[in-house]
Amino acid sequence: MDRLISIGKILNFHGIMGEVKVGFTAGKEDQILSLKEVSLVSGSKTKTLSVEKVRLHKQYALIKFKGIDTVNEVLELKGSFLKIPKGDLVKTFEEDEFLIDDLAGCKVYDQNKALVGEITEIANIRGQDMLIMLDEEKKEYFLPFVKEIVPVVDIENKKIIINNIPGLLDPEECEVE
């Protein structure tokens, strides 16, 4: 079964007719508006609901689920995450868009097409996404995930190309003035 990916969270009720107020990532309005069915996940509980109606209001989505008709029913859902299968989510991606978790396992090549390592995990350190790479000798490197360092990401082929600037993989190359 396809892994479920979170696309929003039920924040509260809206009105008295069973609508939920959902927070979601800005710029993903089309994704939210196209929902037909979602899995609501709260702790270890998962419940699948059909979407009756979706509309946008300010920076939130207002969603009416089939069979959820009262404020009390909505309050039971408050705090639940809206999740959809990864395959459905990926279909909505633009050309240069992917899930950050999909970077793990990618082979890393330098600008000369030489294999330099493999991404083992992704971390956010002080607000900066970092790719953690192991080279063939199992030495660990932290690569800032910015376009200047990582200009090419090919998720389909599990391949990343980096600009191996002085000091990135060999700190001795970095000159201090």
Side-chain angles (χ1 to χ4, degrees):
M1 185 177 147
D2 219 356
R3 183 171 64 131
L4 294 175
I5 305 292
S6 180
I7 60 163
K9 182 177 182 180
I10 296 178
L11 303 174
N12 214 337
F13 63 90
H14 182 81
I16 60 169
M17 303 305 288
E19 279 187 308
V20 298
K21 180 179 177 181
V22 175
F24 64 96
T25 302
K28 296 298 179 186
E29 291 80 4
D30 290 343
Q31 185 180 82
I32 293 291
L33 289 169
S34 68
L35 290 175
K36 302 287 183 238
E37 185 177 88
V38 297
S39 294
L40 296 185
V41 179
S42 180
S44 62
K45 297 179 195 168
T46 300
K47 177 186 227 176
T48 302
L49 292 175
S50 296
V51 175
E52 191 174 299
K53 179 174 70 170
V54 182
R55 61 191 173 102
L56 300 176
H57 179 67
K58 300 182 181 174
Q59 72 266 31
Y60 303 102
L62 302 178
I63 301 176
K64 171 71 175 80
F65 294 112
K66 292 179 183 163
I68 304 295
D69 300 310
T70 68
V71 170
N72 287 339
E73 289 172 307
V74 169
L75 289 174
E76 291 176 17
L77 306 176
K78 188 175 175 179
S80 297
F81 290 94
L82 278 70
K83 296 190 175 196
I84 61 173
K86 179 181 176 185
D88 291 350
L89 181 64
V90 171
K91 288 178 197 172
T92 69
F93 284 176
E94 294 180 20
E95 184 180 328
D96 198 22
E97 198 173 15
F98 49 86
L99 294 172
I100 195 124
D101 289 349
D102 287 343
L103 296 170
C106 286
K107 300 287 185 195
V108 180
Y109 299 85
D110 67 14
Q111 61 269 34
N112 298 319
K113 298 184 175 130
L115 178 65
V116 292
E118 181 176 324
I119 302 300
T120 57
E121 62 184 295
I122 298 85
N124 189 288
I125 301 170
R126 294 189 182 119
Q128 170 66 55
D129 287 327
M130 302 292 278
L131 304 179
I132 301 172
M133 180 190 81
L134 286 181
D135 67 10
E136 292 171 343
E137 285 84 40
K138 303 296 181 209
K139 186 173 177 186
E140 188 173 68
Y141 296 89
F142 287 74
L143 309 174
F145 190 48
V146 294
K147 199 73 163 169
E148 295 78 21
I149 304 285
V150 186
V152 177
V153 174
D154 182 352
I155 293 295
E156 192 173 312
N157 294 305
K158 300 295 278 178
K159 179 179 176 180
I160 292 173
I161 297 175
I162 63 168
N163 286 325
N164 188 3
I165 60 173
L168 184 66
L169 300 179
D170 186 0
E172 293 174 11
E173 290 178 7
C174 194
E175 295 180 24
V176 179
E177 294 181 24

